[in-house]
Amino acid sequence: MTVQQGLLTIPARRGRALSLKAGEAVQIINTHGSQVVDTWVFNTEDITEFLSSEHMRATLGKLWPGKGDALITNRRRAIMTIEEDTSPGQHDTLIAACDSYRYSLLGCTEYHDNCTDNLHAAMRQIGLVAPECPSPLNLWMNIPVAEDGSTGWGEPLSKPGDYVILRAAMDCIVVMSACPQDMVPINGAACTPTEVHYRKLPVAE
Ligand SMILES: [Zn+2]
């Protein structure tokens, strides 16, 4: 896709935080098509309230949210809504953010970039301390669930330029991590994490 005005970059393997007022939105773009973006949302007024996958699944009655669905907090309130989604809409809510323990188990003997550290670094960049690493909304992460309940590690179903628009239902902080996973093909068969782009959108008219 052509790079549009106002676009900001999340470099491959890195995270960024963005502050939104109620009514504003963020457009998150899968620029190269197969990058998973771990996403967290915190209530600006009280960051111990945040998007919670387990509360969201209870409210929505399904495993992952789609266009038109609200993202629900640990206090069972809508914090954002998925206003637009041009992808096939597989956005995992089951798998924890990757962390140093995950990469150790995969055989890494040295430091490996990970989404958990990206969350904490992105929050520090805006002067905040994340209360914990909540279970993220894993945009474009394709975790197929079989009838017997077993899960797999799929490749993203998205294509270059697919995007989601998340609109804030309250003042909130959105943290996005371009997942550095390069040991299982969750970011595509090439196992090559890439940059993604995002931009803030104004209150809808
Ligand atoms: Zn990750």
Side-chain angles (χ1 to χ4, degrees), residues 38 98 103 115 179-181:
D38 288 39
C98 62
Y103 292 105
C115 289
C179 180
Q181 178 58 268

Side-chain angles (χ1 to χ4, degrees), residues 10-144:
I10 305 174
R13 303 171 184 272
R14 291 290 177 263
R16 292 288 185 270
L18 173 69
S19 193
L20 294 178
K21 293 288 184 193
E24 292 180 330
V26 60
Q27 179 183 23
I28 307 172
I29 302 158
N30 204 331
T31 311
H32 302 283
S34 58
Q35 177 62 49
V36 167
V37 180
D38 288 39
T39 304
W40 301 265
V41 190
F42 298 87
N43 175 359
T44 306
E45 294 292 307
D46 177 0
I47 61 172
T48 64
E49 180 177 16
F50 47 75
L51 165 61
S52 167
S53 289
E54 54 269 46
H55 294 83
M56 179 168 64
R57 290 192 299 265
T59 299
L60 298 183
K62 53 186 176 180
L63 289 179
W64 52 82
K67 182 176 171 177
D69 285 333
L71 307 184
I72 304 295
T73 72
N74 53 341
R75 292 176 201 161
R76 302 186 190 271
R77 302 198 293 166
I79 193 164
M80 302 194 89
T81 299
I82 301 183
E83 182 174 285
E84 187 54 81
D85 183 0
T86 67
S87 75
Q90 190 101 353
H91 303 298
D92 170 67
T93 67
L94 298 174
I95 304 296
C98 62
D99 49 30
S100 55
Y101 309 106
R102 169 89 170 119
Y103 292 105
S104 291
L105 288 168
L106 287 169
C108 254
T109 55
E110 296 181 339
Y111 180 76
H112 193 292
D113 293 320
N114 63 80
C115 289
T116 300
D117 287 352
N118 284 349
L119 163 68
H120 291 298
M123 288 292 269
R124 276 197 304 273
Q125 275 185 351
I126 59 168
L128 294 172
V129 177
E132 58 180 280
C133 179
S135 189
L137 170 62
N138 295 309
L139 293 175
W140 299 295
M141 186 166 172
N142 176 17
I143 300 296

